[in-house]
Amino acid sequence: MPGGALAATSDVNRIEAPVTWKAYLICAFASFGGIFFGYDSGYINGVTGSAVFIEIIEGPGATALTGSHQSLIVSILSAGTFFGALIAGDVSDIIGRKYTIIIGCLIYIIGVILQVAAHGLGLIVAGRLIAGIGVGFESAIVILYMSEICPRKVRGALVAGYQFCITIGLLVASCVDYACKNRNDTGSYRIPIGIQFAWGLILGGGLLFLPDSPRYFVKRGRVEKARASLCQLRGQPADSEYVEAELAEIIANEEYERSLIPAGGWFNGWANCFKGSLFKSNSNLRKTILGTSLQMMQQWTGVNFIFYYSTPFLQSTGAISNTFLISLIFTLVNVCSTPISFYTVEKFGRRPLLVWGALGMLICQFLVAIIGDTVGFNKAHLDPAGNTVANNISAVNAQIAFIAIFIFFFASTWGPGAWIVIGEIFPLPIRSRGVALSTASNWLWNTIIAVITPYMVNTDEANLKSNVFFIWGGLCTIAFVYAYFLIPETKGLSLEQVDKMMEETSPRTSSKWKPSTTFASDMGIKDGEKLGTNITEDVERKGSIF
C-alpha cells in the first residue's frame, strides 16, 4: 500500500509488529552511546590521581590537585553537556535524530584531540568542555532515538541497555586507569583520554547504516520515509499490515497532539514545554517538571560521588592500601547489577523499581554514614610514619560493603529507570525538547555535585568524611517519597498510549490502566478502514522544524 492511504486498526494489540532479532540488534547498537557517558565520567577519577598529571597542572613537587582545579576539571565536562543537550533538542528536530548523534560524535572527537594535545590546565579544560557538548548531543538524543524506535514490549529493557553501556564505559575507564596508574610519563593520562577516539568512530560510523526515527519523519511530514524506516526497524515488508497499523497510529496521534499543541515558531516550540496546569497530570508543564526533576533525583542519589571521587576519598582514610582496586570492584558491581533491570523493568514495571530502589539506597547511605561517624572512616590516627590510618579496619570494610550494596540498588533501579521514563512521557510535538531539558537537568546537577563535592570532603575544606553520606541518604529519602507520589507506570504501552494513560489516570493508579482503543479508532476510523490521503497529506503539509 505504499504511497496511498493507510489501513488503521482498532485492536490495541496489533499496532506493532512482533519483536524480531533485527529490532533487538538495531536498538542495542544505538545504546552503545552510553559508553561515552560512562567512560567520560569514569576515566577522570584515575587521571586526577595520576602523579604526572598532578605535576603538569599544579607544578613540580605537587602531590594533589587543589580543590578548585579538581572541581573545574571534573565539572567542566558536565557544563558542556548541559548546553549540548539543550542545543541537541532543536538540532534533532531539524536534521533528524540519527544525524544529530553523528554530529555529537564529531564534536566529541574534536574535544578528545584537544585533551590529548594538552600539557597544562588550559587545553584540558577546553577539550573537556567541547567533548562535553558532544556528550550532551549524544546523551539526550540516543535516549530519544531509542525510545522512538524500540518495540513497546521490550522498550524498557532495551533503553536500560543504554545505562548498561554507561556502566561498561565506567568499567573500561577503571581498567584503563588501573593499567596506566604506574606509568611515569604523559601516557598515564593521555592513554585514558585517547581511547575515547574509538567510541566516537564506532557510534558515528555505525549509525550511518541505521534508519532514522519514523516518529521524526511523521513530525516532519515525510510519511513515506517513516514507512520505510518502520519496515527496516520491524523487519517487515512495505505492505505489512503491522507497518500500516503502526504508522496509522503514529499519524493519528500526531494529528491529535497537534490539535492540543499547535506548531509555531522557535519560541513557541520551547514555550509549549511549559504550558498547562501544574495540577493536571497530562499537562506539558507537569511532564517537563517530571522529566527534569527525575533526572535531578538520579543525581541526588550521590552515585557520581563514588565514581568521580572514590579514589582520593578512599586514599584519605588510610585504611585501604589499593584504592584503585576498590574503585574497580565498585564499577564491577555496577556493571553486573544493571542487566537485572532488563528483566525487572518489564516484569514489575518502572514505578516499583524506582520506589523500592530509592528505599534500598537510603538505607545503605545512612548505614555508611552512621558506621563511619561512630567507628569507621572518621576515626583515625597517625602511624609512626605520619600516615593517617583508620582505627577500625573492619568497620571501614563494612562501609565499603554497604557502598557496594548501594551501587547494586542504583544500578538495577534508578540508573536505567530514570532514562527509560524520560524517553516515554513526552508527546511527539515536544518530545525532543522535553528529553533535551530532562537530560540537561541531569548534567546540570551532575555539574553542581561535581563542583561542590571536593569542598565537602577535602581535608582543607569542610572535611565531612563519612558525614557526607548523611546528605546522600537524606536526598535518597526525598527520592523515595518523590517516586511513590509522582512516577507513573508506563510498562507495555506504546508512546502514544502513554499520552492517553497520563490523561486518564494518576501516578499511583497508573499501573491498573489498560488501553481499550487506538488513536485511529478515536478519530472515528473503523477497523481496517483507510486513514485517508487527506489526513496523510495534512500531516505532510504541517510538517515543521518546530
Side-chain angles (χ1 to χ4, degrees):
M1 258 174 279
L6 297 171
T9 181
S10 59
D11 186 347
V12 296
N13 295 313
R14 294 184 65 81
I15 59 170
E16 192 173 86
V19 183
T20 64
W21 275 107
K22 184 176 182 180
Y24 273 120
L25 293 174
I26 289 174
C27 296
F29 179 80
S31 69
F32 180 83
I35 287 184
F36 281 60
F37 190 154
Y39 190 88
D40 251 338
S41 298
Y43 88 85
I44 198 64
N45 187 24
V47 166
T48 54
S50 161
V52 176
F53 184 80
I54 290 168
E55 290 198 354
I56 285 172
I57 300 300
E58 303 295 345
T63 58
L65 294 176
T66 63
S68 59
H69 283 166
Q70 184 171 17
S71 174
L72 175 64
I73 291 168
V74 173
S75 64
I76 195 67
L77 178 121
S78 301
T81 54
F82 171 78
F83 292 105
L86 289 178
I87 296 167
D90 279 337
V91 175
S92 71
D93 273 351
I94 298 171
I95 66 172
R97 297 12 175 170
K98 179 174 86 169
Y99 289 107
T100 301
I101 299 170
I102 292 171
I103 288 175
C105 291
L106 294 175
I107 296 171
Y108 178 77
I109 288 172
I110 292 170
V112 172
I113 291 172
L114 292 177
Q115 291 176 74
V116 171
H119 199 76
L121 182 64
L123 270 184
I124 284 287
V125 171
R128 279 182 64 77
L129 177 64
I130 292 170
I133 294 172
V135 175
F137 269 56
E138 174 275 324
S139 60
I141 308 306
V142 164
I143 290 297
L144 174 64
Y145 178 65
M146 291 186 68
S147 296
E148 290 188 339
I149 69 172
C150 288
R152 60 182 173 137
K153 293 180 181 178
V154 292
R155 185 178 60 242
L158 289 171
V159 176
Y162 177 80
Q163 176 65 23
F164 181 60
C165 285
I166 292 177
T167 67
I168 293 291
L170 285 164
L171 175 62
V172 172
S174 292
C175 292
V176 172
D177 283 344
Y178 191 63
C180 296
K181 73 183 181 74
N182 292 324
R183 291 182 67 101
N184 296 317
D185 56 16
T186 57
S188 64
Y189 71 91
R190 282 183 168 146
I191 291 173
I193 293 171
I195 284 174
Q196 296 173 101
F197 278 115
W199 316 144
L201 292 174
I202 293 170
L203 182 63
L207 277 174
L208 288 171
F209 302 97
L210 299 187
D212 212 328
S213 162
R215 289 174 170 89
Y216 158 72
F217 285 128
V218 167
K219 182 175 183 178
R220 290 300 304 267
R222 302 173 185 172
V223 175
E224 287 310 307
K225 286 192 174 183
R227 188 198 307 271
S229 174
L230 272 177
C231 291
Q232 191 173 350
L233 289 167
R234 302 294 182 249
Q236 297 284 322
D239 59 354
S240 164
E241 63 177 279
Y242 289 110
V243 170
E244 294 294 313
E246 184 171 0
L247 185 54
E249 186 71 356
I250 293 171
I251 290 174
N253 175 257
E254 164 72 355
E255 282 292 291
Y256 171 74
E257 293 293 351
R258 279 192 186 276
S259 69
L260 300 177
I261 313 172
W266 179 86
F267 179 80
N268 284 341
W270 281 103
N272 282 336
C273 295
F274 303 96
K275 289 183 178 178
S277 169
L278 180 62
F279 303 101
K280 185 180 178 183
S281 62
N282 198 42
S283 72
N284 289 354
L285 174 62
R286 181 81 169 261
K287 290 177 178 178
T288 300
I289 291 175
L290 176 61
T292 53
S293 59
L294 180 60
Q295 289 292 327
M296 176 185 73
M297 291 289 174
Q298 190 200 54
Q299 290 300 309
W300 277 11
T301 61
V303 69
N304 279 332
F305 169 78
I306 306 298
F307 295 116
Y308 282 162
Y309 297 109
S310 61
T311 296
F313 182 74
L314 292 173
Q315 283 172 340
S316 69
T317 67
I320 300 162
S321 59
N322 195 335
T323 53
F324 276 99
L325 186 58
I326 295 296
S327 295
L328 186 59
I329 290 171
F330 288 162
T331 306
L332 279 170
V333 172
N334 195 23
V335 172
C336 296
S337 302
T338 302
I340 296 172
S341 66
F342 298 174
Y343 172 77
T344 56
V345 76
E346 299 297 355
K347 175 66 175 178
F348 304 110
R350 286 65 159 152
R351 179 178 163 82
L353 254 66
L354 294 174
V355 172
W356 293 108
L359 179 63
M361 288 190 295
L362 76 88
I363 291 171
C364 291
Q365 297 279 28
F366 280 125
L367 283 172
V368 172
I370 292 167
I371 294 170
D373 196 44
T374 53
V375 293
F377 280 150
N378 294 16
K379 306 297 181 181
H381 63 275
L382 293 177
D383 66 10
N387 299 315
T388 303
V389 179
N391 295 344
N392 190 328
I393 303 297
S394 297
V396 172
N397 290 338
Q399 286 184 275
I400 291 170
F402 280 115
I403 290 172
I405 296 170
F406 158 80
I407 293 171
F408 162 78
F409 278 112
F410 175 85
S412 58
T413 60
W414 274 79
W419 293 110
I420 293 168
V421 172
I422 68 163
E424 296 176 330
I425 59 175
F426 294 102
L428 183 56
I430 66 165
R431 186 173 295 140
S432 62
R433 290 184 170 108
V435 174
L437 283 167
S438 302
T439 306
S441 172
N442 180 294
W443 287 109
L444 174 64
W445 285 98
N446 191 311
T447 305
I448 292 170
I449 289 170
V451 168
I452 65 175
T453 297
Y455 297 100
M456 291 195 293
V457 299
N458 282 3
T459 54
D460 58 342
E461 306 287 352
N463 196 24
L464 290 178
K465 297 183 180 177
S466 297
N467 292 335
V468 72
F469 288 95
F470 281 117
I471 297 174
W472 305 134
L475 294 174
C476 285
T477 303
I478 295 173
F480 172 71
V481 176
Y482 169 91
Y484 179 77
F485 286 104
L486 295 176
I487 300 297
E489 182 53 72
T490 56
K491 180 186 74 167
L493 303 178
S494 71
L495 297 181
E496 290 70 36
Q497 289 167 343
V498 170
D499 284 346
K500 190 176 293 187
M501 176 274 292
M502 294 185 73
E503 186 177 341
E504 297 177 358
T505 187
S506 68
R508 283 183 288 171
T509 59
S510 57
S511 60
K512 299 177 182 177
W513 188 87
K514 303 294 179 187
S516 56
T517 61
T518 64
F519 272 97
S521 63
D522 286 345
M523 291 177 65
I525 302 169
K526 297 177 182 177
D527 194 21
E529 190 176 343
K530 303 292 188 294
L531 190 64
T533 55
N534 63 318
I535 293 180
T536 57
E537 288 170 0
D538 189 43
V539 169
E540 290 170 354
R541 186 178 68 255
K542 290 179 181 177
S544 165
I545 63 175
F546 299 114

